[in-house]
Amino acid sequence: MRELHRIREEMYEESKKLTPRERVNRTHKEVEEFLTSQGYRLIPSNTGYRMEFIGRC
C-alpha cells in the first residue's frame, strides 16, 4: 500500500503544474502508448477515435 501512495504522490508532483490542456495531451499520449503496447492503435473518426487491433507486438 505504501508503494501505491508513493507512486500516486510522484504522479501528482509531475502533473500539478500542468495546464488542463497539457494534462489532456499527456493522458492521450500515455493511452496511445499503452494501446500500442497491447496491439491496438487509435484511428480518428467523426465522433472521436476508434480502436483497431493490429496484433501483438
Side-chain angles (χ1 to χ4, degrees):
M1 195 61 144
R2 290 176 209 229
E3 183 72 10
L4 179 61
H5 288 292
R6 184 187 62 75
I7 292 169
R8 285 185 176 171
E9 181 68 25
E10 286 176 11
M11 291 173 68
Y12 171 74
E13 289 297 324
E14 291 173 1
S15 66
K16 72 180 180 182
K17 293 183 180 178
L18 297 177
T19 66
R21 175 50 52 204
E22 290 171 328
R23 283 188 191 144
V24 167
N25 289 339
R26 180 179 174 169
T27 300
H28 283 173
K29 181 181 176 195
E30 290 174 357
V31 166
E32 199 163 338
E33 289 173 0
F34 173 75
L35 288 174
T36 301
S37 74
Q38 299 301 309
Y40 290 89
R41 68 178 173 166
L42 288 178
I43 300 171
S45 68
N46 294 337
T47 58
Y49 291 92
R50 65 183 175 89
M51 290 189 324
E52 180 180 80
F53 184 70
I54 56 175
R56 207 72 174 146
C57 295

